[in-house]
Amino acid sequence: MDFQAGILQDGSAMESLEKQLICPICLEMFSKPVVILPCQHNLCRKCANDVFQASNPYWQSRASSFSGGRFRCPSCRHEVLLDRHGVYGLQRNLLVENIIDIYKQECSSRPLKKGEHPMCKEHEDERINIYCVTCEVPTCSMCKVFGAHKDCEVAPLETVFQGQKTELNNCISMLVAGNDRIQTIISQLEDSCQSTEENSEAAKRELCARFDALAALLEEKKAELLQRISQEQADKTAFIQSLICQYKEQLEKSSRLVETAIQAAEETGGAAFLMNAKQLIKTIVEASKGARLDKIEQGYESMDAFSVSLEHLTEAVHALDFDPAEEDEEYFDGEEEDVEE
C-alpha cells in the first residue's frame, strides 16, 4: 500500500497514469462503466455505443431478434462483433474503474498547484474563466472588463467547453464511421481482386480447352483429307501398274513373234519357207492390229483436285476476339461510385 501511495505522489507517474486512462474517443478520462473490447483495449460505454451506432445506424429500429452488429476498435482497427445486446453485452473492466476511483481520490486530496490552470497572459494573476465568442478565444474576466475584450460577446467557459467537446466527439464519431466504411470498401475491393484472379484462371482454362478442342478437330480433319489423298494415290498407282503389266505381256509376245519371224526369214529353202510363211505373216498382222491396250489420259497423275484453301479459316482465326462484357463494365462503374462516396 505504501508503494502504491508513493507512485501516486510522484508527479511524473501520475501524468503517465493519466495518459493510460484517457479514452481514445472522447479524449477524456474513462467514464463509468468502462468496457473492455476483445482486443483488450478500453472504451467508455457511451463512446463505444456512439461508435457502434455510427457504424450501425439502423440497429435501434430493428427487431429484438436482430443478431447484432460490428464496429472497429479506434485504437487497433480490430473488428468487434456484438450480439443482440449491442455494447451492453461487452464485459466491464472493473480494474480500470477502480484505478480511476483511486486516481480521482488522490487528485482531489492534492492542493492545487500554481500553473495547473491556464492563466491570462495580460493579467498573470487572473485565471482564464470565460470565452470570447467574438474573437473565439478563451480569456479572463479582467480582459472583459478592462482589456481587449471589453466590447466583445462572452460566454461561460464551461458552456463553450461542453459544446465544442460534444462537437469534437461527434466529429470523431463521424471519422470513425467513415474509416469503418472505407475499411468495408477496402475489404470489398480485396474480395473483388481475389474473385478477379479466380475468374481469370477459370477463363484461361476454358479458353485453352476450346482451343485444344479446335486443334483436335483440325487434326481429325487433316487425317481424313490425308486418307482420301492416299486412297486416290493407291487407286491410280494400281491402275498404272496393271497397264504396265499388260504392256509387258504384249511386249514379251511381240518379242517372241519377232524371233520366230527372224528364224523363218533365215530359211533358204523355198518350199520349207512357204509352208509356214503365210500363216506367220497372218499372225504378225493380227498381232499388230489387235494390240489395242488402255492408256492414261494427260494429267492423270495430277493431284490438283485435292488442294484445300484455308484463307477463310485464317481470316476467321485472326478475327477471333472476346465478346464485349457490358455487365462487367457496369459493375466496375458501380465500384468506382462506391469508392468516391
Side-chain angles (χ1 to χ4, degrees):
M1 188 65 183
D2 294 340
F3 177 73
Q4 182 183 15
I7 293 179
L8 294 177
Q9 292 175 0
D10 187 356
S12 60
M14 291 289 288
E15 293 178 0
S16 177
L17 178 61
E18 183 177 357
K19 292 180 181 179
Q20 299 298 323
L21 300 178
I22 296 298
C23 174
I25 298 297
C26 62
L27 302 180
E28 295 292 335
M29 187 172 296
F30 289 114
S31 60
K32 291 184 180 181
V34 180
V35 294
I36 182 170
L37 304 182
C39 56
Q40 303 303 314
H41 289 111
N42 299 287
L43 292 176
C44 307
R45 177 180 287 176
K46 180 182 180 303
C47 296
N49 189 59
D50 291 342
V51 176
F52 175 67
Q53 293 293 339
S55 301
N56 304 270
Y58 302 106
W59 185 79
Q60 289 181 342
S61 61
R62 299 186 181 182
S64 59
S65 60
F66 176 58
S67 59
R70 63 185 63 192
F71 69 94
R72 294 188 178 275
C73 172
S75 298
C76 64
R77 306 303 300 159
H78 176 77
E79 189 174 51
V80 181
L81 301 178
L82 301 180
D83 57 15
R84 60 188 182 89
H85 299 290
V87 296
Y88 292 91
L90 294 173
Q91 185 177 2
R92 290 178 60 178
N93 195 335
L94 299 179
L95 176 60
V96 172
E97 292 181 7
N98 293 334
I99 293 176
I100 291 175
D101 291 338
I102 296 174
Y103 176 82
K104 288 183 177 180
Q105 292 176 5
E106 177 63 23
C107 289
S108 62
S109 63
R110 290 188 302 165
L112 184 64
K113 296 181 180 180
K114 185 179 180 180
E116 289 186 353
H117 190 90
M119 307 299 289
C120 180
K121 294 182 178 180
E122 298 295 332
H123 310 89
E124 297 181 356
D125 295 333
E126 293 293 327
R127 299 173 60 182
I128 294 179
N129 55 0
I130 59 175
Y131 186 84
C132 179
V133 179
T134 305
C135 300
E136 297 183 344
V137 293
T139 184
C140 71
S141 301
M142 296 298 293
C143 288
K144 170 58 180 172
V145 178
F146 305 106
H149 302 283
K150 62 181 179 180
D151 296 328
C152 299
E153 180 184 356
V154 298
L157 188 66
E158 185 65 21
T159 302
V160 180
F161 164 70
Q162 293 297 334
Q164 291 193 2
K165 184 176 179 181
T166 301
E167 184 179 356
L168 179 59
N169 290 336
N170 293 334
C171 292
I172 293 174
S173 300
M174 287 190 297
L175 284 176
V176 172
N179 291 340
D180 191 62
R181 287 194 296 270
I182 293 175
Q183 183 63 41
T184 301
I185 295 175
I186 292 174
S187 300
Q188 292 176 351
L189 292 176
E190 291 175 349
D191 294 339
S192 298
C193 183
Q194 182 178 359
S195 299
T196 301
E197 294 178 355
E198 295 174 355
N199 294 337
S200 298
E201 293 299 326
K204 290 178 182 178
R205 290 192 297 267
E206 181 181 359
L207 183 65
C208 291
R210 291 180 181 272
F211 271 84
D212 291 342
L214 180 61
L217 180 61
L218 289 175
E219 287 293 331
E220 182 180 355
K221 193 64 177 179
K222 182 178 73 173
E224 177 187 347
L225 296 179
L226 288 175
Q227 178 62 29
R228 289 175 58 183
I229 295 175
S230 300
Q231 185 63 43
E232 184 70 13
Q233 175 188 357
D235 294 342
K236 287 188 175 183
T237 53
F239 178 70
I240 295 174
Q241 289 294 339
S242 66
L243 289 180
I244 291 175
C245 292
Q246 292 177 16
Y247 277 99
K248 284 184 177 181
E249 291 178 359
Q250 183 179 0
L251 179 62
E252 185 178 355
K253 290 179 181 180
S254 179
S255 298
R256 288 197 301 266
L257 188 59
V258 169
E259 292 178 357
T260 302
I262 292 174
Q263 292 176 0
E266 292 177 352
E267 182 65 41
T268 57
F273 175 80
L274 292 175
M275 289 178 63
N276 298 318
K278 188 175 181 179
Q279 182 62 35
L280 181 60
I281 292 172
K282 182 179 179 179
T283 301
I284 292 173
V285 172
E286 291 178 354
S288 300
K289 293 180 179 180
R292 295 293 183 268
L293 298 177
D294 294 333
K295 296 181 180 180
I296 59 175
E297 299 177 356
Q298 184 177 3
Y300 178 78
E301 68 280 0
S302 174
M303 289 291 182
D304 294 340
F306 293 93
S307 62
V308 177
S309 176
L310 299 178
E311 293 181 359
H312 62 291
L313 289 180
T314 303
E315 294 176 357
V317 170
H318 283 300
L320 283 177
D321 201 351
F322 298 104
D323 296 331
E326 298 179 357
E327 295 82 359
D328 294 342
E329 293 178 359
E330 293 178 357
Y331 176 77
F332 183 74
D333 294 339
E335 282 190 345
E336 286 185 346
E337 293 177 359
D338 292 341
V339 173
E340 291 178 357
E341 292 178 358

